[in-house]
Amino acid sequence: MNDLGLFTIERRVQPIFPDPYILTVKFTKGDFYERLYYKYKYKSLEVCKIKNKKWFKEATFTWQASLESIPVKNIVYSQRPDFSRSMQFKFTSEVDMIDALYTLENYLDGVVTEEFIKYQIAMNAKAEMHP
């Protein structure tokens, strides 16, 4: 769970599936989630492993999370076509799941915390207008 309790990311393993390592993101605050949904409903939340070719080196991989579409040349490991209150991401290896977890957690912490601050300001302004 992030510091403000806005979302949780759960890990689980289901060995019978082809992609057995699963992350589930759940948003926890009802009214705030509705604001997030209104803003991001037409975007997909993606977690990607991006291949970078370096001169004099083997190809390296970096993880990226985004609420935008990442270019096709990248290697997309897991994505959700719609933004919803609970979203699952599936991975073939535990290492990929753990790398994606940290990337997703840091990305969401930044985006969601910023949106929550804007939400709090809007709610405070509304309360002042209608005491």
Side-chain angles (χ1 to χ4, degrees):
M1 181 175 289
N2 86 322
D3 294 341
L4 297 171
L6 303 174
F7 65 89
T8 59
I9 302 178
E10 299 168 1
R11 292 188 286 184
R12 85 175 182 275
V13 181
Q14 293 192 315
I16 59 168
F17 293 127
D19 298 323
Y21 299 93
I22 301 168
L23 295 178
T24 304
V25 177
K26 292 181 181 174
F27 291 97
T28 51
K29 305 232 184 233
D31 293 344
F32 172 63
Y33 167 72
E34 288 173 16
R35 179 188 173 100
L36 278 180
Y37 179 75
Y38 180 76
K39 183 167 185 177
Y40 295 117
K41 65 182 172 182
Y42 298 117
K43 298 186 182 207
S44 59
L45 180 59
E46 299 181 336
V47 188
C48 303
K49 196 175 185 183
I50 299 169
K51 184 176 181 180
N52 298 317
K53 291 185 179 178
K54 307 273 186 189
W55 287 9
F56 312 114
K57 284 187 185 178
E58 292 294 317
T60 59
F61 293 92
T62 55
W63 282 88
Q64 182 175 339
S66 175
L67 276 160
E68 299 292 336
S69 186
I70 293 173
V72 177
K73 66 178 183 172
N74 299 325
I75 301 168
V76 176
Y77 269 72
S78 197
Q79 68 180 28
R80 280 291 302 207
D82 55 343
F83 187 85
S84 61
R85 190 168 198 147
S86 180
M87 295 176 274
Q88 281 192 348
F89 300 88
K90 298 177 183 176
F91 305 91
T92 53
S93 79
E94 187 174 17
V95 171
D96 282 341
M97 178 184 70
I98 291 167
D99 287 346
L101 169 67
Y102 291 119
T103 300
L104 186 59
E105 195 169 42
N106 289 332
Y107 175 76
L108 282 177
D109 209 27
V111 169
V112 173
T113 300
E114 183 180 326
E115 287 298 327
F116 188 66
I117 290 167
K118 290 177 186 174
Y119 170 75
Q120 291 290 83
I121 290 168
M123 291 296 104
N124 290 341
K126 191 175 181 181
E128 286 177 12
M129 289 175 62
H130 305 286

